[in-house]
């Protein structure tokens, strides 16, 4: 019988020291010796058939003990979890605190479930805001549609903000051209802020078939090779174009080929509906964020293992790195461009990860207290809802989600928990 000593530590950790039964340890040593002996070669004897005393001389006692310990760790750990009813949240720390021919003591440091004890989470007065859309917002949305469908036409006069110029340019730093600093027949919308600060402003007033030298200084948060350096761009202007907006009439609306939208009034109604949905969702999300912050402030206890937060921090960092890689730059280059140090970036990610993990376990605790679970029938309802929204068959939705069913079930459950909180608070 293995003796155990259990100590509860701070930060959701439990330390369990196991004194392995002497007979169990001796048996493990014996099996380890037998296993290692199979690979021992002694001249004059077939492998595995030499006398034990000769074989023992060839086997390192430390190697035998390591083999024996390795064979016992998983059974011991499983025994600890089962008999002490511990649910681990990460790989345990393992330390052999005593080891001899007759004794073995192993200490497991186990990360356990977060401790979340909530006080108030229903009947809180947060203040729900009703979404409303003004006619000015609808006008702006309709005008954006007109701009998206505008055509560029040649302009006889000089270029103004909002116009597009077609240019060739060659950039130089210290009299030398630099990589990525040249282009031909480049279309640049003045005022788009897509070039170095000051570049577009100096092109306001240019005319077709003219040339100009544009002097700029690269910002300090630019790439290492160019940041803070003065540069000159030799620019040749080929064309100046201005936007020509289509007339807002039913004919234009029909040309958009939008389902069930044929008139200007129907377009305005559609824009109003879209804006209302968007603002409603924004207010809903903002309300829930404030509500969960309030629940956290009123909580009796929220203790989360640092390993869980560190894992989330690393996941967010990797996600950012992958996004940057898709844009063709490294994380280091991205930080240079936005003018942020790696320390500040990591601090920002840690704050975000801590909040995200905290909110997850608060919602999970509410789900436990209110016994909010997801049955197969609930999933079928969600499959049907998604099938209708995405014009798919229910079977196709089910197949698409089959590889991530656990995540989908969790997502549905947490959505139900959020709905519960929204309904039961003001």
């Amino acid at each position: 019988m293995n003796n155990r000593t259990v100590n509860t530590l701070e930060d959701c950790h439990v330390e369990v020291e196991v004194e392995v039964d002497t007979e169990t340890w001796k048996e493990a040593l014996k099996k380890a010796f037998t296993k290692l002996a199979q690979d021992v070669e002694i001249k004059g004897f077939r492998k595995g058939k030499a006398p034990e005393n000769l074989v023992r001389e060839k086997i390192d006692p430390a190697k035998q003990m390591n083999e024996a310990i390795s064979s016992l760790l998983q059974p011991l750990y499983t025994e600890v979890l089962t008999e002490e009813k511990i649910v681990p949240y990460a790989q345990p720390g393992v330390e052999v605190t005593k080891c001899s021919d007759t004794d073995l003591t192993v200490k497991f440091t186990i990360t356990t479930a977060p401790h979340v004890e909530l006080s108030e989470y229903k009947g809180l007065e947060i203040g729900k805001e009703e979404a409303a859309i003004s006619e000015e917002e609808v006008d702006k949305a309709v005008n954006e549609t007109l701009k998206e469908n505008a055509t560029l036409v040649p302009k006889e006069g000089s270029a103004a903000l909002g116009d597009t110029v077609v240019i060739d340019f060659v950039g130089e730093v210290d009299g030398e051209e630099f990589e990525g600093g040249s282009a031909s027949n480049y279309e640049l919308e003045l005022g788009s802020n897509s070039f170095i600060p000051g570049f577009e402003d100096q092109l306001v007033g240019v005319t077709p078939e003219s040339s100009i030298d544009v002097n700029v200084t690269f910002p300090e948060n630019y790439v290492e090779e160019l940041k803070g350096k003065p540069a000159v761009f030799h620019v040749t202007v080929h064309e100046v174009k201005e936007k020509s907006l289509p007339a807002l009439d039913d004919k234009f609306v029909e040309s958009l080929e939008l389902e069930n939208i044929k008139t200007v009034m129907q377009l305005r109604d559609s824009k109003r509906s879209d804006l209302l949905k968007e603002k409603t969702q924004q207010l809903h999300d903002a309300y829930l964020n404030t509500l969960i912050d309030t629940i956290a402030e009123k909580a009796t206890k929220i203790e989360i293992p640092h390993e869980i937060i560190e894992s989330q921090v690393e996941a967010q960092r990797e996600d950012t790195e992958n996004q940057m890689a898709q844009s063709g730059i490294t994380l280091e280059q991205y930080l240079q461009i936005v003018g942020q140090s790696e320390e500040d970036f990591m601090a920002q990610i840690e704050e975000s990860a801590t909040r995200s993990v905290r909110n997850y376990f608060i919602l999970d605790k509410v789900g436990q207290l209110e016994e909010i679970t997801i049955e197969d029938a609930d999933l079928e309802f969600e499959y049907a809802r998604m099938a209708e929204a995405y014009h798919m068959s229910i079977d196709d939705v089910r197949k698409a989600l089959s590889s991530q069913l656990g995540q989908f079930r969790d997502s549905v459950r947490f959505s139900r928990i959020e709905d519960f909180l929204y309904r039961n608070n003001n």
Side-chain angles (χ1 to χ4, degrees):
M1 177 69 179
N2 300 321
N3 294 322
R4 289 189 301 274
T5 302
V6 181
N7 294 313
T8 301
L9 308 177
E10 294 181 350
D11 193 29
C12 302
H13 288 80
V14 174
E15 187 179 85
V16 183
E17 197 163 57
V18 183
E19 295 180 18
V20 180
D21 176 73
T22 300
E23 292 304 315
T24 301
W25 175 232
K26 286 182 177 180
E27 182 63 23
L29 285 171
K30 182 179 178 181
K31 288 181 178 178
F33 176 81
T34 301
K35 181 179 179 181
L36 295 172
Q38 293 175 358
D39 295 325
V40 174
E41 294 184 3
I42 296 179
K43 190 174 181 179
F45 297 92
R46 285 184 297 160
K47 186 183 291 188
K49 297 298 183 180
E52 182 177 329
N53 63 319
L54 296 179
V55 174
R56 194 169 292 279
E57 292 176 1
K58 296 285 186 177
I59 294 178
D60 182 355
K63 191 173 182 180
Q64 180 186 357
M65 284 189 172
N66 286 337
E67 178 64 35
I69 292 169
S70 295
S71 71
L72 289 176
L73 285 181
Q74 187 58 50
L76 287 175
Y77 183 54
T78 301
E79 177 186 294
V80 166
L81 298 182
T82 303
E83 298 192 7
E84 300 297 335
K85 295 181 172 56
I86 297 173
V87 178
Y89 264 69
Q91 290 295 319
V94 181
E95 180 185 357
V96 177
T97 58
K98 186 177 182 181
C99 185
S100 68
D101 291 341
T102 57
D103 299 296
L104 175 68
T105 302
V106 179
K107 182 168 67 178
F108 295 100
T109 303
I110 305 169
T111 305
T112 63
H115 298 156
V116 179
E117 297 175 16
L118 301 183
S119 175
E120 301 174 52
Y121 62 89
K122 292 185 286 188
L124 298 173
E125 295 290 338
I126 305 300
K128 292 177 181 175
E129 185 179 345
E130 192 74 25
I133 301 300
S134 67
E135 288 305 304
E136 289 77 10
E137 289 174 294
V138 177
D139 290 341
K140 184 178 179 181
V142 171
N143 286 335
E144 286 299 320
T145 299
L146 291 174
K147 290 178 182 177
E148 290 168 3
N149 289 273
T151 55
L152 291 175
V153 297
K155 182 179 181 181
E156 293 184 3
S158 59
L161 288 175
D163 290 343
T164 294
V165 292
V166 182
I167 58 175
D168 297 343
F169 60 86
V170 177
E172 294 180 355
V173 171
D174 296 329
E176 298 289 335
E177 294 184 25
F178 58 92
E179 185 178 355
S182 304
S184 299
N185 292 315
Y186 189 94
E187 291 195 352
L188 173 63
E189 181 181 338
L190 303 185
S192 64
N193 298 318
S194 54
F195 266 38
I196 306 161
F199 186 99
E200 295 170 28
D201 293 339
Q202 294 179 55
L203 293 181
V204 172
V206 298
T207 56
E209 305 304 330
S210 63
S211 297
I212 184 175
D213 283 348
V214 174
N215 293 282
V216 296
T217 299
F218 286 101
E220 291 296 332
N221 60 356
Y222 211 68
V223 294
E224 186 67 31
E225 312 85 72
L226 297 173
K227 67 178 184 179
K229 292 184 177 181
V232 59
F233 286 85
H234 307 294
V235 180
T236 300
V237 182
H238 295 302
E239 292 182 82
V240 177
K241 299 179 180 181
E242 60 184 348
K243 290 178 180 177
S244 175
L245 300 182
L248 179 58
D249 52 27
D250 292 349
K251 184 178 180 181
F252 164 70
V253 175
E254 286 185 14
S255 72
L256 298 176
E257 298 182 347
L258 301 173
E259 188 175 359
N260 299 322
I261 300 176
K262 305 298 180 186
T263 67
V264 173
M265 187 61 69
Q266 288 173 339
L267 178 63
R268 291 184 64 84
D269 288 343
S270 174
K271 294 296 182 183
R272 184 181 293 103
S273 176
D274 290 343
L275 289 169
L276 186 61
K277 287 178 183 177
E278 182 180 353
K279 184 174 286 190
T280 298
Q281 187 63 51
Q282 289 173 349
L283 292 174
H284 179 275
D285 293 345
Y287 173 84
L288 279 176
N289 286 334
T290 303
L291 175 60
I292 295 174
D293 285 344
T294 304
I295 293 172
E297 290 170 4
K298 293 178 176 292
T300 305
K301 184 177 187 179
I302 298 178
E303 191 175 66
I304 299 172
H306 63 83
E307 290 92 340
I308 296 178
I309 294 175
E310 288 171 359
S311 175
Q312 184 68 13
V313 167
E314 186 58 32
Q316 288 193 21
R317 179 189 174 93
E318 288 182 5
D319 185 53
T320 303
E321 287 180 333
N322 291 336
Q323 290 180 27
M324 294 305 103
Q326 290 175 4
S327 301
I329 62 175
T330 65
L331 177 59
E332 182 181 5
Q333 290 171 326
Y334 165 74
L335 293 177
Q336 288 178 354
I337 291 171
V338 299
Q340 189 176 34
S341 69
E342 185 171 357
E343 291 76 13
D344 289 343
F345 170 73
M346 291 305 298
Q348 182 179 318
I349 281 189
E350 185 169 355
E351 181 181 352
S352 171
T354 301
R355 181 186 179 88
S356 175
V357 170
R358 182 206 67 178
N359 290 0
Y360 174 92
F361 286 109
I362 287 176
L363 291 172
D364 183 58
K365 187 65 176 183
V366 171
Q368 293 175 36
L369 293 171
E370 297 297 328
E371 298 182 352
I372 299 174
T373 58
I374 300 301
E375 308 298 334
D376 289 345
D378 298 310
L379 294 182
E380 290 300 323
F381 175 82
E382 292 298 325
Y383 293 150
R385 186 183 63 80
M386 293 179 69
E388 181 178 1
Y390 294 103
H391 306 291
M392 298 169 63
S393 71
I394 294 178
D395 282 343
D396 285 343
V397 172
R398 193 183 291 112
K399 288 176 184 176
L401 294 170
S402 61
S403 63
Q404 47 188 339
L405 187 57
Q407 291 174 299
F408 181 63
R409 185 184 293 271
D410 284 345
S411 174
V412 173
R413 177 172 176 263
F414 276 82
S415 179
R416 298 282 174 89
I417 295 168
E418 289 179 345
D419 288 344
F420 170 85
L421 288 174
Y422 192 84
R423 293 194 313 271
N424 287 276
N425 292 281
N426 297 306

